[in-house]
Structure formats: C-alpha cells, structure tokens
C-alpha cells in the first residue's frame, strides 16, 4: 500500500517516497520522539500475512538490531500499525556504490578505503554469526564524509527461509535492495544473481564464505566497472557463476599484487579453498593500500598499515582456518616482535553444530591445543561431546557421551569432564568408556583443580551451593553454605594451586548483571566478594579476571595470592554469547592465552509459544517471539497468563489466544512473575518484588485488570505461588527458607466479594532437609505433586493432601514441571535430561496412590526457559496439548562457528597492565 506524504505510521510521519524494491515501498519518515529522520520499509502483503514467516523475520530482526557498527546501517525496530508492518531503519544519505561504479572504475587508493570499510562491516557481523547473503554495490552507501554503510545486513535470510534453496526460487525476487538506476536491465533478480556464490547457485546453504565471494565480486567491479560474472538472462548469469571466470585482464595494471591475489582468493569457486575469513581480506587490503599509496605519492590513505612498519610471516595453523584450508594465514607483529592478537572465525568441523546451553558449551585445554564442545549434527539429535585439535580440520565425537553439556578439562589436558544424564562424568580425550563421578542433576559449571578435586554446582535449583568430589569419583560433599542474600553458587573455577575457588553468587532479585564474583579459600576460610555487578568470572595466567557485564567481557588486574582486584576493569570483547538469566557465558581461555568464544546475542530465551500434542505435532499458539516464562491456562482454557521479561523487568501478561490479543496485567517497576489462576478464573496470583525489591512475596489482583493489587504475604523469605486448590480458597506456594532450602506452604484466603478478601495464616505442608518446591494440587484436591532433590537430583513426588500419609516417587530421571491432567488420571512432567515430556498414568485405591512407570508422551524436544522461578510449560484443560517452547525456536541454539583470539594475553597486558 502506498503512503502519502504527511500521513502517519505509528509514531512516524511520512515525508516522501524513496523507492521500491522486492521488500516493498521505502519512505523517508520523521521520528518526532527522537527528532531524526528514518527509513521506513513496508513489508509486502504476501510476506506480512504469513505468520510463520513473519515470526521468523521478527526473530532475525532482533538479532540484526544487535549489530552496532559504524559501517553497518542500523535496524531501529519493527513497526506494526493499522495492519501495516514495516521496518524502521537508519536513513543513510548519499549515493550507492552502484551509482559510483556507473561513473567508471574507482582508483585503487579510493577503492581500498571503501573495501576496508566493507570488510569491517562483514567482520563485525560474522563475529556475531550473522551473514549478509545479499552483498552487492546497490546495498552499499557512500556518505558525503567518506563513511561506507552496508545496508540490509542479513535481511535476505530474515525475509525468506528458502532464499538458499534454489537459484530459480521465487525467493530470489525478494531481495531487500532498492531499485537503482545503476542496476542491470534485468532488475532485482539478475542484480542478486551476479553476486551469488557458486554454492548458493547450486542450492546449498550460504555461510560467511559466501559473503567473501560477494565481496570479491564487489571489489572486482569497483576496480574495473565490470561485473565479475554476467549474462543476458538469469540462466546465463548462474552458468557464469558456476563455470565461468572473470576477465582478469580487466584489472588495472597498477593493481598491487596483494589486492590482485585477494580478488582471486575471494572468487575461488570451491569454498573449501576460498579465503575463509574476511579478516584475511582486511589484512591484504592494508598491505595493498600501502603499496598503492606509495605508488601514488600520497600519505592520505587512512589505513592502519600506512603508519607502521609491518613484518609478515606465513603461519601454518590450518585448524584455525578450516573454512579456508588452502589459504595461507599471516601473523602480524609489532616492530618490537611482540605478537598482536589475531581474531579468527573457524568452523568447528565434523559437519556439526555447537549446542549453546546456559553456559560453557565450549572448553579449551590448558595448553590451547584442544577444543571440547557439546554438539549434534542435526536438530533433535541427542548432543554428544566432540574433541577438536586446533592443528587439524575436523572434530571427532567421543562415543558414550550422549547428552553431554558444559565440558571442562583436567589440568594436564588428558581428560575432559562433563555433565550428562543427571551425572558428573569424565572421559579421556583419546576416547574410551566414560567414568561416572557422582550425581549432578542439572550441573551449572565445574572446575578441575590441581589437587585432583573437582568443584562444581550439581543443579540449577534455588539454594544450590558448590560441591566438591574427587576426580576419581565418589560421593560429593558440600563446599559451603549459601549466603542469605544469594540464590545459588555456580560457574566455579579452582585457582592455581587449588588454594581458592572463585564463583558467581547468584542474585535473589534481577538478572545476573547484578550478581557478585566471590572468592572462597580452600579447604575453608572466610569468603571475599571480588566484584559486584558481574558474572562468570575466569582467572587468567596473565594476572587478570575476565568476567561478563551487560553482554560484554571485561578484564581487570587481579592478585591471585591476595585474592584482590588491583586495577580498574576495561571492556575487551563485545558480542560473546551470554545469559543474564542463567549467569553463564560462552567463552573459554587456555593458560597459553588462546581465547575462544561463541559470538551472538544474550541467550534470553526469546521464542514464540507453540502447541504440542502427543503425536509430536506443533502449531503456533503465539507467533510473536518474546522472553516469556511460566505459562498458565485459565480454567476455561481460553486465556494464557505468562510473565514476559523486557530486558530489565518481568511483568504478567494475559494472552487470549483465539483472538490473538495480549494484555498487560501488572505495571509496577519491580519484577512480577509466576502467574497462577484461581480455580474460578477471577483472580491471578503472582510473585512480586515490590517495595524494597529484594524479596519476592505473594500478590493477587482481578484477572480482568480492574481493582487493586493486594499483597498476600509480607516476609523476608522469597516466595512464589504454584497452585490453587480446585474447590477450596487455598493457595500452595514455595518459600525459600533461611536454612537455604525450600518448603511447601499452603495459605487460605478468607472472606467474600461483599466483605473483601484477606489472607489467612500460612502453614507448612512439607519441610525437610531438602529443597521441596512447586507443589501442584491434583484435580480432585486429594494429592499434591512436587519437586524434591532428596535423591541428589530433582525428582517428582506425590503426597496425600492435607496428609498425613505415604510418599510416592514418580520420576525415574531428573525431572521438572509436574502437571496434572484434568480429564484423565495422568501426571505429566518434563525430563530435564533430554527435555521431553513424560506421562505417568495412575490409580487411586483408598489412601494409596498407585503410579505406573513413566512413558514418553512426545518425541519432541522442548526448550527450557532460562529464568527462575520458572515453569517451562502448561497443559491445556482438555489434557490433549501443551503450551511449550520447542528446541528449534530459541536462538541462538546451534552455532557452527567459533571466534578464536590468539595472543590474547598481549592485548590484556596493553589495555589493563597487571601490577607486579
């Protein structure tokens, strides 16, 4: 639909039409709130009316919006107003590179400056796992101040999941590029195809090497004003890409050898021998730029290499450039001989993907020669442990490690420990049979000390503290007690000499950006807080702590003997994958100074909500992705309450799924979460940190949003509601106790609508030395299912209500989220080992509860929601389907590339020198 000048789209005032392309109309608009002009791209109807495609696009747009680089055109947001869906983008004035090329070949010194900025944009995006897929001159803007802006980054993928499927697919016509006078007479389709890599033309998926190919095409065209591959129609163009060669003689005679070699290296048809990392291209441009500037008699080319004397040495570490195994790699050193840090993006090998759990999916051996990671070849396949030597091209699976996550190496690098199937295990890096060390239901990190002891966190429950076990195996022992103001202890690291351990002290409120880094002397001693507002710290042999805050890795000088921070922190890496809700981060570093990390966004659990039935069929319940948790169906099944985290706080929302309307219920600036419907559906109970915001207590309010919020409890112990009795005004809730466990509590609500309601006196239903939580009333109110870690892992149990009586263990593997069917004698739970739903039929004989053996309810793998206290699913009142998040919805879930930084210690010593 066309928008008229002066009309409005949401908050934006349309100024004028700019152009049109495969994405739809493009307009210049004014944002009165921020006083700036923006570009508005209207999505075409066939795109905006496809819920699955739109949901996928919105997820991609969120990732692309995280790109913040001076050479990348920014995405500000997605606008949805009056049925019109549009992208809000940075408005970049100036001609396109296609317009500039239409004037003739670009001189080498100018071309190098432009090309380096294109490389910088690609490098920044590739570090975050984002591929452009549609790089071409029409997508590159030249600002009047000389800045180059690459536009539409990654939108080819966002617009159509089938873009890589076939060179003749209609998806090719959906290029996000604007029509430009400098484009060919064939328009969009040919304009895209001439820069398409051979693998894309053959219907294979694109990767970062496809962007390298397109960059080579663009550079060739800048230098010659000719297309590297051309044809009169689409078929001839595709044939030229697959079988033809550029007109190499068209390159100017004064093209520096490094630049000439760069173009040829980028345009290798076999991507296995193509330049595999755009960082190599940047380096060659630096060298070529120096030669070009010298030849031209000028010193105005703004290149880093122009101001230094560089020494170039070939480096045969093929494993770090597996994506371009036939390309030589250069290490650049400073004049004094000190090695510069070198950043590479490498494929992990073995045609597998790394599965990003809450934290620590990748480990590097102390000497930096080995990688260990949890991965799988296809989605839905049970992950296992892989070992990859950095001087080899492929990774090897370690048999017997199914379900492995969070690996870490022994001090001598001969063993790797990991969590799997509710256990802490180890296996030799050369393979063999895994050895079970001890129970660990849902491990949250471990570290192998030089004294042969392993310090680890056995599970993710509130109140989980550090444990210690011999690397030979045995019964683990608690290392210390949880402090009153912390929710858990996790992501431990044993310091050199095994004299102390550092760990993340989880907050009782907010995200892990408000956590503390704590040092605990070994075997005992007073703990010491090292850093506040930090998580997932690692001590480095350079004399630094590396930690996470606001999705950035910071380094700070650290005295390991005195356990003291000795300097100011500095940011050193942006873009590593982290989890502010789980306290984990995807990076590891060797004693030799090799840093590896997964590039990406925060693993905040942004996903749509899906229906799941027993046959494994899924359908969209709510297509709009959000960081939701704790779904709860109303008694009539027509509404779904949930809490949604917006990046700073959680609030309760109600979704009417038949009408596709979402309404916010709570508005307090504190966290409101874990909504539970009353049995009559008139009120919603939730936990909130209102008031001093340090403790979660219980509140309720009318479900229709009218009336006032009423506080039900006032205590210094954290509480969250779990279930209402089906016939009595009786609330079950979990309370974290001062003894650092959790108890099952019940509380009556007294009164009526006429006189008002008020909370009665809460009483304890179950208090034990263990953590007992998530009490769920059965549909007849006679039984309560709950979670307890009394077996050493989280299991599901049932007790009679109100008691006394027996106790029955329901689960046979680590479990979570007990849920009763309201239509059949069945009890559901989620197996936390493989994230699948289980069902337990049961019978009742007098006062005896008689459960059958748990059986698989659905083969579909779910995605655990990362926030606590959290339920990951809810069963609809019809008992036939669940509201869930499936494993393929959460991004980033799988990654096939790693970023490797060599000589990282040298950079730390420069930016944050440690005191001697």
């Amino acid at each position: 639909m066309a928008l008229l000048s002066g009309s409005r789209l949401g908050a934006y005032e349309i100024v004028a039409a700019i152009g049109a392309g495969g994405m739809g109309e493009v307009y210049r608009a004014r944002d009165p709130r921020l006083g700036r002009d923006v570009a508005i791209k209207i999505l075409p109807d066939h795109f905006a009316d496809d819920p699955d495609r739109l949901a996928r696009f919105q997820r991609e747009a969120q990732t692309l919006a995280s790109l913040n680089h001076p050479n990348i055109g920014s995405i500000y947001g997605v606008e949805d107003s009056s049925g019109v869906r549009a992208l809000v983008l940075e408005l970049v004035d100036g001609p396109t590179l296609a317009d500039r090329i239409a004037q003739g070949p670009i001189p080498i010194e100018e071309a190098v400056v432009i090309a380096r900025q294109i490389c910088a944009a690609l490098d920044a995006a590739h570090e975050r796992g984002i591929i452009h897929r549609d790089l071409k001159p029409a997508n590159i803007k030249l600002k009047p101040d000389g800045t180059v802006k690459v536009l539409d980054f990654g939108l080819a993928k966002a617009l159509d999941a089938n873009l890589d499927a076939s060179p003749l697919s209609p998806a090719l016509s959906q290029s996000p590029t604007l029509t430009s006078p400098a484009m060919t007479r064939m328009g969009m389709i040919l304009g895209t195809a001439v820069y398409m890599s051979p693998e894309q033309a053959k219907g294979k998926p694109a990767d970062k090497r496809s962007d390298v190919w397109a960059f080579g095409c663009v550079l060739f065209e800048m230098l010659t004003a000719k297309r590297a591959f051309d044809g009169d129609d689409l078929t001839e163009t595709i044939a030229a890409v697959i079988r033809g060669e550029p007109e190499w003689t068209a390159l100017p005679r004064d093209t520096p050898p490094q630049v000439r070699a760069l173009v040829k290296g980028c345009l290798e048809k076999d991507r296995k021998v193509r330049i595999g990392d755009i960082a190599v291209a940047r380096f060659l441009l630096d060298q070529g730029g120096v030669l070009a500037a010298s030849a031209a008699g000028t010193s105005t080319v703004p290149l880093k290499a122009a101001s230094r004397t560089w020494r170039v040495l070939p480096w045969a570490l093929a494993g770090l450039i597996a994506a371009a195994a036939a390309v030589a790699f250069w290490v650049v050193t400073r004049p004094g001989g000190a090695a510069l840090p070198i950043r590479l993006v490498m494929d992990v090998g073995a045609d597998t993907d790394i599965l990003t759990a809450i934290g620590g999916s990748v480990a590097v051996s102390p000497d930096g020669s080995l990688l260990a990671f949890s991965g799988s070849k296809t989605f839905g396949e049970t992950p296992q442990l892989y070992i990859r030597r950095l001087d080899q091209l492929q990774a090897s699976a370690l048999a017997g490690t199914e379900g492995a996550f969070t690996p870490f190496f022994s001090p001598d690098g001969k063993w790797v420990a990991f969590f799997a199937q509710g256990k802490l295990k180890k296996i030799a890096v050369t393979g063999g049979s895994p050895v079970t060390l001890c129970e660990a239901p849902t491990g949250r990190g471990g570290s192998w000390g030089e004294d042969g002891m392993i310090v680890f966190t056995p599970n993710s429950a509130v109140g989980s503290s550090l444990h210690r076990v011999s690397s030979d195996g045995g019964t683990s022992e608690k290392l210390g007690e949880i402090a009153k103001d912390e929710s858990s202890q996790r992501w431990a690291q044993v310091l050199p000499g095994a004299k102390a351990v550092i760990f993340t002290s989880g907050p009782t409120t907010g995200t892990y950006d408000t956590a503390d880094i704590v040092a605990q002397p070994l075997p005992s001693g007073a703990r010491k807080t090292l850093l506040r507002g930090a998580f997932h710290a690692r001590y480095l042999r350079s004399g630094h702590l590396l930690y996470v805050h606001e999705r950035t890795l910071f380094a700070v000088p650290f005295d390991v003997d005195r356990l003291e921070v000795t300097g100011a922190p500095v940011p050193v890496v942006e873009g590593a994958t982290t989890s502010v809700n789980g306290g984990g981060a995807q990076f590891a570093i060797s004693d030799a100074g090799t840093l590896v990390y997964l590039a990406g966004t925060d693993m905040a659990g942004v996903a749509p909500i899906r229906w799941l039935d027993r046959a494994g069929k899924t359908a969209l319940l709510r297509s709009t992705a959000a960081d939701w948790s704790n779904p709860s169906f109303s008694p009539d099944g027509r509404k779904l309450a949930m809490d949604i985290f917006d990046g700073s706080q959680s609030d309760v929302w109600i979704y009417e799924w038949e009408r596709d309307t979402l309404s916010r219920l709570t508005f307090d600036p504190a966290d409101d979460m874990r909504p539970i419907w009353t049995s009559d559906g008139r009120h919603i109970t939730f936990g909130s940190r209102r008031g001093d915001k340090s403790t979660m207590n219980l509140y309720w309010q009318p479900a229709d949003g009218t009336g006032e919020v009423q506080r039900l409890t006032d205590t210094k112990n954290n509480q969250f509601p779990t279930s209402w009795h089906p016939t009595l005004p009786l609330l079950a809730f979990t309370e974290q106790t001062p003894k650092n466990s959790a108890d099952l509590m019940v509380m009556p609500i007294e009164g009526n609508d006429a006189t008002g309601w008020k909370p009665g006196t809460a009483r304890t239903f179950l208090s034990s030395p263990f953590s007992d939580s998530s009490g769920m009333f059965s549909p007849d109110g006679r039984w309560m299912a709950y979670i307890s870690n009394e077996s050493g892992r989280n299991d599901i149990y049932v007790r009679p209500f109100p008691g006394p009586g027996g106790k029955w263990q329901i689960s046979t593997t680590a479990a979570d989220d007990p849920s009763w069917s309201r239509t059949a004698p069945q009890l559901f739970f989620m197996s936390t080992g493989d994230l699948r739903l289980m069902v337990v039929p049961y019978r009742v004989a007098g006062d005896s509860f008689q459960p059958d053996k748990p059986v698989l309810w659905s083969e579909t793998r779910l995605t655990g929601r990362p926030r606590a206290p959290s339920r990951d699913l809810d069963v609809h009142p019809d008992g036939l389907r669940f509201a869930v998040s499936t494993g393929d919805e959460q991004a980033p879930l799988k990654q096939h590339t790693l970023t490797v930084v060599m000589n990282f210690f040298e950079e730390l010593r420069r930016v944050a020198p440690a005191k001697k």
Side-chain angles (χ1 to χ4, degrees):
M1 74 177 272
L3 300 180
L4 300 177
S5 177
S7 63
R8 301 187 74 87
L9 183 65
Y12 301 97
E13 181 179 344
I14 303 301
V15 176
I18 296 177
M23 270 192 68
E25 300 87 4
V26 185
Y27 298 87
R28 188 187 195 103
R30 185 70 177 170
D31 183 352
R33 299 166 298 184
L34 299 178
R36 65 181 177 186
D37 283 354
V38 298
I40 299 286
K41 288 192 175 185
I42 307 297
L43 304 187
D45 291 341
H46 70 272
F47 176 79
D49 292 339
D50 185 337
D52 283 325
R53 195 177 184 194
L54 184 62
R56 184 178 185 278
F57 172 76
Q58 289 173 323
R59 293 197 301 275
E60 292 294 339
Q62 289 172 332
T63 300
L64 299 173
S66 69
L67 287 176
N68 183 13
H69 192 275
N71 296 121
I72 297 177
S74 299
I75 296 180
Y76 296 147
V78 179
E79 183 68 24
D80 188 349
S81 178
S82 301
V84 178
R85 291 183 171 92
L87 276 173
V88 183
L89 306 171
E90 177 184 1
L91 181 67
V92 183
D93 291 320
T96 67
L97 181 57
D99 298 327
R100 173 64 182 86
I101 292 173
Q103 301 173 12
I106 300 176
I108 182 63
E109 55 268 30
E110 181 184 350
V112 168
V113 173
I114 294 172
R116 280 204 80 260
Q117 295 183 67
I118 298 171
C119 284
L122 291 173
D123 197 16
H126 289 177
E127 283 189 23
R128 301 182 72 88
I130 299 172
I131 305 167
H132 195 294
R133 299 169 185 260
D134 194 29
L135 182 71
K136 52 193 172 188
N139 271 338
I140 300 166
K141 281 271 196 170
L142 308 178
K143 295 181 65 176
D145 64 0
T147 302
V148 176
K149 286 276 189 177
V150 180
L151 308 181
D152 291 343
F153 232 108
L155 291 184
K157 177 183 178 184
L159 282 169
D160 198 310
N162 298 315
L163 188 62
D164 297 324
S166 168
L168 301 180
S169 167
L172 285 175
S173 66
Q174 303 308 320
S175 165
T177 307
L178 294 177
T179 303
S180 166
M183 294 184 66
T184 68
R185 62 185 179 277
M186 295 294 292
M188 284 300 167
I189 298 177
L190 186 55
T192 297
V194 294
Y195 306 98
M196 182 185 298
S197 65
E199 58 268 17
Q200 289 173 285
K202 294 177 181 179
K204 298 179 180 179
D207 61 19
K208 64 175 183 175
R209 294 168 293 183
S210 307
D211 279 355
V212 171
W213 170 279
F215 169 76
C217 293
V218 170
L219 181 54
F220 181 92
E221 193 169 340
M222 281 196 289
L223 297 174
T224 64
K226 295 182 178 181
R227 295 267 176 81
F229 304 94
D230 214 344
D232 291 335
D233 55 31
L234 181 61
T235 302
E236 289 187 6
T237 301
I238 295 297
V241 168
I242 295 175
R243 294 188 295 271
E245 284 291 326
E247 186 182 344
W248 296 115
T249 57
L251 288 171
R253 290 186 176 181
D254 61 349
T255 302
Q258 287 90 338
V259 176
R260 190 180 296 269
L262 168 61
V263 178
K264 291 186 176 181
C266 290
L267 296 180
E268 288 283 355
K269 295 187 185 299
D270 185 350
R271 58 178 161 185
K272 293 180 180 178
V273 298
R274 188 182 309 155
I275 289 178
D277 198 298
I278 203 67
V280 175
R282 293 183 70 179
F283 174 71
L284 288 175
L285 284 171
D286 281 352
Q287 300 304 303
V290 172
L291 294 179
S294 298
T298 177
S299 60
T300 60
V301 180
L303 301 176
K304 293 180 180 179
S307 62
R308 297 178 179 177
T309 302
W310 297 94
R311 185 160 52 88
V312 185
L313 298 175
W315 191 28
L317 191 57
L320 291 180
I321 49 170
V327 180
F329 186 76
W330 295 264
V331 171
V332 184
T333 60
R334 289 190 177 93
L340 283 173
I342 302 297
R343 179 177 280 104
L344 306 168
V345 178
M346 59 170 281
D347 193 291
V348 297
D351 298 323
T352 190
D353 289 297
I354 300 169
L355 297 185
T356 54
I358 292 298
S361 296
V362 178
V364 60
S365 63
D367 65 1
S369 65
L370 288 175
L371 292 178
F373 63 90
S374 174
S376 67
K377 291 181 179 296
T378 60
F379 172 74
E381 179 183 73
T382 300
Q384 60 183 322
L385 207 61
Y386 286 80
I387 291 290
R388 162 76 184 274
R389 295 193 63 87
L390 287 180
D391 59 356
Q392 296 179 358
L393 299 179
Q394 291 297 324
S396 301
L398 293 179
T401 61
E402 288 76 14
F405 64 97
T406 315
F408 54 96
F409 279 94
S410 62
D412 60 8
K414 296 181 179 180
W415 294 83
V416 59
F418 60 96
F419 298 94
Q421 301 164 343
K423 314 287 185 182
L424 174 62
K425 303 182 179 184
K426 71 175 182 179
I427 189 171
V429 297
T430 54
S433 298
V435 178
T436 296
L437 302 180
C438 65
E439 296 286 335
T442 53
R444 287 297 180 261
S447 178
W448 196 320
E450 296 171 4
D451 60 351
M453 300 296 291
I454 294 176
V455 176
F456 69 104
T457 303
N459 62 65
S460 58
V462 173
S464 298
S465 63
L466 298 182
H467 281 58
R468 182 167 55 179
V469 69
S470 169
S471 57
D472 294 328
T475 301
S476 67
E477 61 178 359
K478 187 179 290 188
L479 191 60
E481 296 295 335
I482 291 285
K484 185 177 180 180
D485 58 350
E486 69 182 352
S487 60
S488 66
Q489 301 169 350
R490 51 180 62 184
W491 313 120
Q493 182 193 17
V494 180
L495 296 179
K499 296 179 180 180
V501 60
I502 58 174
F503 62 90
T504 300
S505 171
T508 58
T509 180
T511 70
Y512 272 81
D513 268 334
T514 63
D516 295 336
I517 303 300
V518 174
Q520 172 68 59
L522 295 175
S524 63
R527 53 188 276 173
K528 179 187 293 187
T529 299
L530 304 177
L531 294 163
R532 298 191 183 277
F535 63 91
H536 205 103
R538 288 295 177 265
Y539 171 72
L540 313 183
R541 297 281 179 163
S542 60
H544 297 83
L545 288 181
L546 194 64
Y547 67 91
V548 179
H549 179 71
E550 293 185 347
R551 306 179 184 181
T552 299
L553 300 190
F554 285 80
V556 63
F558 179 68
D559 188 323
V560 70
D561 296 320
R562 293 187 295 158
L563 299 180
E564 290 181 0
V565 170
T566 59
V570 294
V572 291
V573 175
E574 293 185 0
T577 302
T578 60
S579 174
V580 295
N581 291 318
Q586 299 293 344
F587 73 89
I589 190 162
S590 74
D591 291 345
T594 298
L595 171 70
V596 297
Y597 66 89
L598 296 178
T601 58
D602 181 82
M603 298 183 297
V606 174
I609 308 175
R610 288 193 176 268
W611 291 111
L612 173 66
D613 65 20
R614 186 161 192 172
K617 294 181 179 180
T618 62
L620 281 172
L621 172 55
R622 181 171 187 258
S623 61
T624 303
D627 185 5
W628 58 272
S629 194
N630 297 305
S632 176
F633 280 109
S634 59
D636 62 8
R638 301 178 64 182
K639 298 177 182 180
L640 185 69
M642 71 190 86
D643 51 68
I644 297 178
F645 183 66
D646 65 3
S648 60
Q649 71 178 62
S650 294
D651 282 294
V652 176
W653 296 72
I654 297 178
Y655 181 59
E656 297 184 60
W657 55 273
E658 291 178 330
R659 297 176 54 231
D660 191 26
T661 59
L662 182 70
S663 304
R664 185 174 176 178
L665 184 67
T666 64
F667 294 86
D668 192 89
D671 285 330
D672 298 322
M673 59 192 307
R674 193 64 187 258
I676 301 293
W677 296 84
T678 54
S679 56
D680 61 5
R682 297 173 59 187
H683 286 76
I684 287 182
T685 315
F686 56 92
S688 179
R689 294 191 173 99
R690 301 177 183 220
D692 62 10
K693 300 184 181 180
S694 62
T695 303
M696 178 175 287
N697 280 181
L698 305 181
Y699 294 76
W700 79 342
Q701 72 179 88
D704 61 5
T706 62
E708 298 295 325
V709 176
Q710 181 179 357
R711 186 167 191 157
L712 301 179
T713 62
D714 189 355
T715 175
K716 294 183 178 180
N717 296 333
N718 282 316
Q719 303 167 322
F720 57 91
T722 58
S723 177
W724 278 92
H725 194 280
T727 58
L728 302 174
L730 192 65
L731 173 66
F733 63 95
T734 299
E735 180 172 39
Q736 184 181 355
T737 64
K739 64 178 182 293
N740 305 313
S741 62
D743 290 344
L744 297 179
M745 309 291 292
V746 292
M747 179 177 65
I749 301 294
E750 302 166 348
N752 54 54
D753 287 338
T755 62
W757 297 90
K758 65 178 181 178
T761 301
R763 66 178 179 86
T764 302
F765 173 70
L766 177 60
S767 180
S768 75
F770 310 105
S771 180
D772 306 308
S773 63
S774 300
M776 303 292 291
F777 286 113
S778 62
D780 60 6
R782 291 187 57 193
W783 312 95
M784 184 177 287
Y786 63 98
I787 303 171
S788 178
N789 64 356
E790 66 176 270
S791 67
R793 68 185 185 201
N794 285 351
D795 274 301
I796 307 300
Y797 295 83
V798 167
R799 287 177 180 265
F801 183 83
K807 176 184 67 176
W808 294 268
Q809 182 173 331
I810 304 302
S811 57
T812 56
T813 60
D816 199 0
D817 299 337
S819 304
W820 297 90
S821 170
R822 304 182 202 181
T823 58
Q826 295 176 332
L827 178 59
F828 303 98
F829 65 86
M830 183 172 70
S831 172
T832 56
D834 58 6
L835 296 179
R836 288 186 171 93
L837 272 171
M838 309 295 291
V839 61
V840 179
Y842 65 87
R843 295 170 300 282
V844 174
D847 294 332
S848 177
F849 188 86
Q850 300 176 357
D852 289 346
K853 182 179 179 180
V855 295
L856 195 65
W857 190 79
S858 170
E859 291 280 356
T860 301
R861 190 184 299 274
L862 309 182
T863 297
R865 312 306 299 157
R867 285 183 285 121
S870 171
R871 273 178 61 84
D872 301 322
L873 50 87
D874 196 33
V875 60
H876 190 269
D878 63 15
L880 302 176
R881 49 189 172 161
F882 282 79
V884 299
S885 174
T886 54
D888 57 343
E889 299 296 344
Q890 186 173 350
L893 181 66
K894 301 196 302 180
Q895 293 182 239
H896 68 276
T897 59
L898 274 171
T899 300
V900 180
V901 183
M902 311 297 296
N903 309 319
F904 185 61
F905 287 173
E906 293 297 325
E907 181 67 9
L908 292 184
R909 293 183 181 112
R910 182 182 68 83
V911 300
K915 294 182 179 179
K916 301 297 184 181

